[in-house]
Each structure stands twice: as C-alpha cells, then as structure tokens.
Amino acid sequence: MSLTVVGTMAFDEIETPFGQSGKIIGGSATFIALAAANFVKPIHQISVIGGDFPKKELAALADRGVVLDGVEVKENEKSFYWKGKYHMDMNTRDSLVTELNVLADFNPVLPEAACKAEFLILGNLSPQVQSGVIAQMKTRPKLIVMDTMNFWMDVALDALLDTIKKVDVLLVNDGEARQLTGEFSLVKAAKKLLTMGPKYLIIKKGEHGALLFHENHVFFAPALPLEDVFDPTGAGDTFAGGFIGHLAKTRDISFENMKTAIIVGSVMASFCVEQFGTKRIREVNHEDISTRLEQFVDLVNFDIDLV
Amino acid sequence: MSLTVVGTMAFDEIETPFGQSGKIIGGSATFIALAAANFVKPIHQISVIGGDFPKKELAALADRGVVLDGVEVKENEKSFYWKGKYHMDMNTRDSLVTELNVLADFNPVLPEAACKAEFLILGNLSPQVQSGVIAQMKTRPKLIVMDTMNFWMDVALDALLDTIKKVDVLLVNDGEARQLTGEFSLVKAAKKLLTMGPKYLIIKKGEHGALLFHENHVFFAPALPLEDVFDPTGAGDTFAGGFIGHLAKTRDISFENMKTAIIVGSVMASFCVEQFGTKRIREVNHEDISTRLEQFVDLVNFDIDLV
C-alpha cells in the first residue's frame, strides 16, 4: 500500500475568540499526511516550501513515514503564509493575510515512487496543478480523492470541472456543493455533482458532520460533540487524511468501507480541533484513536425492530 | 398504555419561498397528537380552541384515537392564530402575526382519564400552565416530557426553571440550550441543563439532527437528507410526538429505547416538512414509517473493527 498526497505546506497564524496561535505550521498536505500516517506508510508528499520552513518540521514528518523527496525547497523564497480570524461561532472566519510566495508558480514534478502510488489524494490547490499531478501518474491509481474550495469555482471554473471529471471521490463543503451546482438542497446538489465525474461525493458540514453519496446511497457521520472547539483550521484536511489513510490501509474501496473511512476521518478531525494547528493530531496514538472510534459507535448506534 | 398531550391547537398561515399555505390547522398539540397516534391510543388531548375551529378537524383527530373531552371550546372566541414567513434557507423565520385569542387565559382542567395517563407530554406553552397540568396528575406519570421555547426564557424564566425541575425529559433547540445556560458549546450546555432537573435532555438542531444526553451518555440522530424541505412548521412538535409515541407504545423508558424513540421522532419529522402544516403527517401509514426507518438505518449504519 502506498499513498501520494499533494497539497500545501505552509505557515498559519490563527486568531480565535480563545487566543492567538502565533506563526505555526499548517497547509493541506501537512494535515492530510499527519492524519494518514496513522494508517499507511509510505506517504509520498508533493508540495513546495521556502527556505524558511523549519527543518525539524520536515524531520517530524519523515519520522512518521512521510517521504519528502517530492517536496520542492525554494531556498531563497518564503513559504505560503495565511493569517485568519475565527468568529465566535467558530464556523465562519475571515482571511486577514494570504501570501502565496512559493506557491505562486508551483509546478510539481513527481518522483518515480510517487507516480506509482496506489492511492492519490489531491489537497486543495489550483485545479490545473491537480490535473498536472494526475497526468504524471504512471498507472491509474486505485482511487483518486480530490478536495477543492470555492475560490477555484470563482477564478478557474472550467479547469475545476475538467479536473473533477478525472477523480473518483470529490470532497467539498456544503456551501461549495451549493455554489458548484446552484442547488440549495444538498441532496439535489449531490445528484448533480455525481453526474460530473466522481462516483463518490463527500459533503463536509463542519460541526454538523459529513455526508457520503454514491449512486442512490447516502451515509451520514456526525462530528463528535466536543466540549470545546479550539481551532477548526485543518479539520477538513485532517478528515480527508483519516479517510484516505483508512482506505489505503485496508485497500478496500467499497461503499461499505468508505463509510468506515468517513468515521475514521471524523475521529481524526475531532482531535484536530482541540488545539491550534497540528498540535493535537501529532500527539494522538492508536489507543486514542480506538477510544474515540468507540465513542462514535456509541454516539450513533441504535437497535430497532423493522416490522 | 395512555398518553396525555398538552399544547396548542391553532390556525397557522405560512409563507415560504415556495408558496403560501393560506389559513391551515396547526398548533403544538395537533402535531404531537397526529404523530403519536401512529403508535399509541388513547391520546388525551388538552387544549383550547375557539368556535372557529373546524369540526371536521376535531373529527379527524378523534378518528385517530385522540380523546377530545379535554379540549375546551370557547364558542364566542377565536382560536390561536400565528402567521410566519420562512427565509430562503428554511432555518430562520419571522413571526408576522401572533394572536393569542383563546390562549390568553388558558387554564386547563384535566378530565379524569387524562390525569391518570402513564405518559405526559407538555407541548410549548407558558411554564405556569405546564406546571398546572403536572399538579393535576393523580399519579406521577412514568415519564414527563416538556418542550419550551426562547420566548418563555425572556418573559417567565423563574417559572420556566421551576417547571423544568419537575420533568424527566427536556426538549429544546440549540439556540434555546445556549440561551438557557449561557454556554455556546452544546456539550457544556447539556451538562448544565442536566443539573436543572431533567434526567434526559434532547437538543434539536433542525436539519442538523438531534442530540440525546443522559448522564455521561450522548446519542445523535441525523435528520433524513431530503430533496426538498417544503415547510418546517411543526417539525419539532412532530418529532416530539414520534418520540413520546414510541415510548408510550413500548412502555420502556430506558436510554437504549429512547435512542430508538429519537429515530422514530426524526422519521415523523421528515414527513412533516414535506408539505404545508399537517398535510403530510396525516397521510402517512405504517408502511411509510417502516420504509423510512429502514432509510435511517442505512443512513447511519456502519461496521468497524474496534481493535
């Protein structure tokens, strides 16, 4: 089993009603890899960083089985930087600063091993870059999962629709599903999105859980009710990392197993939001994960006589 | 098994982005009774109406096993009337007109049989009226369920807190749970509410499902994802009716059975929102309910190896 992860590795600076993070490590590929590394090795990381990206952060990823030869280092440039502020409800945020830096002309070249991975996940990036990665794969991966965001719907819709055609699982949030289809009802939006290429669709609803659609089937997983949501940054990427990590570990891409993968993703995301940035998800161990999986079973499990 | 339902029987007039209902039948006790009647008979209805309330609507309830001798008829007055308008997202609404009419001095006197019911559900009404009903019960019901709303938190908080102490299950929505406790986190709010008297707490989140709290346990049931939500009016009451109906039918008030009752409530609510007012829930039969229960099982059921 092997997994290729494409996405950003970045600096984040986060303000929430509970505090300020200072400059910390973030980026879609960072969160995805940290979550997935609990389930699968090796992970081939495809990203770009500046000379300012801490070496010890790279070492920490390498320790977890993340192969970094696909991470381009532009020594004389700065890493992607994002600063944002969350509102009281922690569901909405404002971007205060976005500096693309090294990301501005990112054109990844995949190392040999990364081109042969069985599983590929495309974190949020320009759809042209995502398509470029798919084109470099030597054999069609068993499963391609793609995340995106509303920004690309605004500035690169045609390229986005073209990339969506090439993937198996599309990950969007509820607002993005509505924007991409013009349908307010998520069920109607899902039906349209499933005609655009992907065989599977995941609609993330943040604290309200996630929906998995496939043909006429739908599965729902709640988010774990938590006492405190400290910082939602990276929760969606961490969810995606848990999802693809479980699938790559089990090498089973059936709908039944995707349900389980959604639960695993929700478990990983529930850790992510408990601390700033990657702090909590780099601490979790298999026992933590098992305990929380049990909590999920208790949360949704019920008996009913269908008579 | 027997159930006493207290609440309003009213005229509603509803505007949604999809149409206008005209003047139709509504009221918390109407929705609760219509939903519960699928599971339990007799239902002792405690309410008040004016001479303008259609006799055929009373006959329709009686046909379903709803005993109406506890419904006071004030022939020369008008029934409670509410007019509201839903916004595009169907989650928020404005009250355009509220005429209390007969409800202004409602002081229910329970018939003998209603005082002896095993199960009691207090639909949204002033907490003084709700307490007055509890005081009339000859023997403590096996279970008392209480609904309320933010309005009573604003105008009658002390009476509300006093009534809450006397019930077993409190039903509130997420905004009300926050208002009543001053806690934004629903988990923290639930902990506080469970110290106020009720042993069980249900937090309704509309299209985002419902949470059941008891001691350190929590159970979550989603709302069924629907293609169209036509009119959410009465969905919370219909949920409550399905919940208490299932409990009264099975006479089992364990936490495990309450989970099932929550699912039954969600199923009933999923019908309610498909048409204006009570239209859809008065049409459903046992086969419809069974089919939708199966959809719920499919929606949330997953297998996982907890190793």
Side-chain angles (χ1 to χ4, degrees):
Chain A
M1 58 193 183
S2 63
L3 169 64
T4 292
V5 174
V6 188
T8 57
M9 295 172 73
F11 289 113
D12 285 344
E13 204 168 332
I14 300 151
E15 283 181 48
T16 76
F18 311 114
Q20 305 207 350
S21 69
K23 204 168 174 181
I24 57 176
I25 296 302
S28 58
T30 309
F31 284 103
I32 293 171
L34 282 171
N38 290 284
F39 308 99
V40 60
K41 286 181 184 54
I43 292 172
H44 301 285
Q45 186 89 326
I46 310 299
S47 193
V48 61
I49 56 178
D52 54 355
F53 200 89
K55 298 291 175 287
K56 74 174 170 60
E57 297 292 344
L58 297 174
L61 284 165
D63 278 351
R64 289 170 166 78
V66 182
V67 179
L68 298 164
D69 59 349
V71 177
E72 187 183 355
V73 186
K74 296 184 174 176
E75 282 297 347
N76 299 319
E77 296 185 39
K78 289 166 74 179
S79 300
F80 176 51
Y81 169 74
W82 176 79
K83 182 172 182 176
K85 180 175 180 168
Y86 286 89
H87 300 182
M88 188 59 208
D89 68 0
M90 299 293 260
N91 279 327
T92 50
R93 68 184 187 191
D94 295 324
S95 287
L96 302 177
V97 183
T98 303
E99 292 174 4
L100 287 181
N101 299 328
V102 290
L103 208 63
D105 56 355
F106 179 40
N107 199 0
V109 178
L110 272 62
E112 183 75 13
C115 299
K116 294 178 178 167
E118 257 191 317
F119 290 83
L120 170 62
I121 182 161
L122 305 163
N124 173 42
L125 273 177
S126 91
Q128 292 91 338
V129 169
Q130 292 175 319
S131 271
V133 169
I134 295 173
Q136 291 179 58
M137 298 303 286
K138 294 273 194 261
T139 49
R140 174 63 162 76
K142 194 174 170 82
L143 195 79
I144 303 179
V145 178
M146 170 190 180
D147 193 13
T148 187
M149 70 181 292
N150 51 352
F151 178 74
W152 307 113
M153 299 171 196
D154 296 333
V155 305
L157 184 60
D158 288 346
L160 179 64
L161 294 175
D162 184 61
T163 307
I164 285 177
K165 277 186 200 150
K166 301 170 184 165
V167 307
D168 304 303
V169 183
L170 177 65
L171 271 166
V172 286
N173 69 30
D174 41 4
E176 291 156 359
R178 287 173 174 139
Q179 180 171 347
L180 206 46
T181 61
E183 294 286 353
F184 187 82
S185 155
L186 295 180
V187 176
K188 285 185 178 172
K191 284 192 175 172
K192 276 197 185 174
L193 288 166
L194 287 177
T195 66
M196 293 182 182
K199 291 183 287 292
Y200 300 88
L201 169 72
I202 296 170
I203 299 182
K204 299 172 289 178
K205 303 200 295 172
E207 62 163 326
H208 299 303
L211 289 157
L212 169 66
F213 294 91
H214 172 59
E215 295 172 349
N216 291 320
H217 305 289
V218 55
F219 173 69
F220 174 83
L224 200 68
L226 295 171
E227 289 220 6
D228 293 298
V229 173
F230 192 78
D231 172 21
T233 309
D237 298 317
T238 305
F239 171 89
F243 175 76
I244 194 79
H246 176 78
L247 294 178
K249 173 189 174 186
T250 54
R251 304 182 66 215
D252 170 359
I253 59 169
S254 67
F255 182 67
E256 280 309 304
N257 197 47
M258 280 201 196
K259 292 181 182 180
T260 308
I262 294 259
I263 298 288
V264 172
S266 296
V267 162
M268 298 313 295
S270 77
F271 290 117
C272 177
V273 302
E274 291 183 328
Q275 297 284 343
F276 273 129
T278 60
K279 186 167 191 304
R280 184 70 180 103
I281 54 163
R282 49 174 85 197
E283 290 167 354
V284 294
N285 58 37
H286 283 279
E287 198 183 323
D288 297 328
I289 295 170
S290 288
T291 302
R292 210 156 270 195
L293 282 170
E294 285 172 36
Q295 286 179 268
F296 258 91
V297 171
D298 287 343
L299 180 66
V300 298
N301 193 38
F302 64 93
D303 288 320
I304 201 159
D305 268 342
L306 293 173
V307 283
Chain B
M1 59 192 182
S2 63
L3 169 63
T4 293
V5 174
V6 188
T8 56
M9 296 172 72
F11 289 113
D12 284 345
E13 206 168 330
I14 300 150
E15 282 182 48
T16 77
F18 310 114
Q20 306 207 350
S21 68
K23 204 169 175 180
I24 58 174
I25 297 302
S28 58
T30 310
F31 284 103
I32 293 171
L34 283 171
N38 289 285
F39 308 99
V40 59
K41 285 180 184 53
I43 292 173
H44 302 285
Q45 185 91 326
I46 310 299
S47 194
V48 60
I49 56 176
D52 55 354
F53 201 88
K55 299 288 175 290
K56 74 174 169 59
E57 296 293 342
L58 297 174
L61 284 165
D63 277 352
R64 287 169 167 79
V66 181
V67 179
L68 298 165
D69 59 351
V71 178
E72 188 183 355
V73 186
K74 297 183 175 177
E75 281 297 347
N76 298 319
E77 296 184 39
K78 287 165 75 179
S79 300
F80 176 51
Y81 168 76
W82 175 78
K83 182 173 180 174
K85 180 176 179 169
Y86 287 89
H87 300 182
M88 188 60 208
D89 68 1
M90 298 293 259
N91 280 327
T92 50
R93 68 184 186 190
D94 295 325
S95 286
L96 301 178
V97 183
T98 303
E99 294 173 5
L100 287 181
N101 298 328
V102 291
L103 209 63
D105 56 355
F106 178 39
N107 198 2
V109 177
L110 272 61
E112 182 76 13
C115 299
K116 294 179 177 167
E118 257 191 319
F119 290 82
L120 170 62
I121 182 162
L122 305 162
N124 173 42
L125 273 176
S126 91
Q128 293 92 338
V129 170
Q130 291 176 321
S131 272
V133 168
I134 296 174
Q136 291 179 57
M137 297 304 285
K138 294 273 195 261
T139 50
R140 174 64 162 77
K142 195 175 169 83
L143 196 79
I144 303 179
V145 178
M146 171 190 178
D147 193 13
T148 187
M149 69 181 292
N150 53 352
F151 177 74
W152 307 113
M153 299 170 197
D154 296 333
V155 305
L157 183 60
D158 288 345
L160 179 64
L161 294 174
D162 184 62
T163 307
I164 285 176
K165 278 186 199 150
K166 302 171 185 166
V167 307
D168 304 302
V169 183
L170 177 66
L171 271 167
V172 286
N173 69 30
D174 42 4
E176 290 157 0
R178 288 175 174 137
Q179 180 171 347
L180 205 47
T181 61
E183 294 287 353
F184 187 82
S185 155
L186 294 181
V187 176
K188 286 185 177 172
K191 284 192 175 171
K192 278 198 183 175
L193 288 166
L194 287 177
T195 67
M196 293 182 182
K199 292 184 286 292
Y200 300 88
L201 169 72
I202 297 170
I203 299 182
K204 297 171 290 178
K205 305 200 295 171
E207 64 164 322
H208 299 303
L211 288 158
L212 168 67
F213 295 92
H214 172 58
E215 294 171 353
N216 291 318
H217 305 290
V218 54
F219 173 70
F220 174 82
L224 199 69
L226 295 170
E227 290 221 4
D228 292 298
V229 172
F230 191 78
D231 171 23
T233 309
D237 299 316
T238 305
F239 171 89
F243 176 76
I244 194 79
H246 176 78
L247 293 179
K249 173 189 174 184
T250 53
R251 303 184 64 214
D252 171 358
I253 59 169
S254 67
F255 183 67
E256 280 309 304
N257 197 46
M258 280 201 196
K259 292 181 181 180
T260 309
I262 294 260
I263 298 289
V264 172
S266 296
V267 162
M268 298 313 295
S270 76
F271 290 117
C272 177
V273 302
E274 292 182 328
Q275 296 285 342
F276 272 131
T278 60
K279 185 167 192 304
R280 183 72 180 102
I281 54 162
R282 49 174 86 198
E283 289 168 354
V284 294
N285 58 36
H286 284 279
E287 199 183 322
D288 296 328
I289 295 170
S290 289
T291 302
R292 209 158 269 196
L293 282 170
E294 285 173 37
Q295 287 179 266
F296 259 90
V297 172
D298 287 345
L299 180 66
V300 298
N301 193 39
F302 64 93
D303 289 319
I304 201 158
D305 268 341
L306 292 172
V307 285

